Amino acid sequence: GKYSSDNQTRVEKTVQAALQMEREGAGIIDIGGESTRPGAEDVALEEELRRVLPVVRRIREESDIPISIDTRNSKVAKAAIEAGADIVNDVSGGTHDSNMLSCVASMGVPMVMMHMR
């Protein structure tokens, strides 16, 4: 249907942009499915997964560039690492989801811990 073809187009455009950044010298690609700007609406878990997982999988098919998953949700982090991401980037520093730190530790991947004011 229209929805799935629109999503496939979005995924491909995002992947091609990431691969172009790599060609231009990027050393890491950070993929996120929600805005963390002040006042931004929260994104439902299933929507965040729908946004990021196909992108992570496709970049990994095309490149071995390190991929970081930008999420505050441990379920998204785990699924993205399983899909090929290498690093978890959590703008909440692990405070949004009480399972984040143990999840990342159990997967044995690096974590970037950010903070918001």
Side-chain angles (χ1 to χ4, degrees), residues 65-79:
I65 191 167
I67 300 170
S68 115
I69 180 66
D70 183 347
T71 186
R72 301 175 299 153
N73 189 306
S74 64
K75 290 179 178 167
V76 174
K78 184 176 191 310

Side-chain angles (χ1 to χ4, degrees), residues 3-13:
Y3 180 77
S4 64
S5 65
D6 286 352
N7 190 50
Q8 288 172 327
T9 300
R10 180 193 57 81
V11 168
E12 269 316 301
K13 284 182 179 177

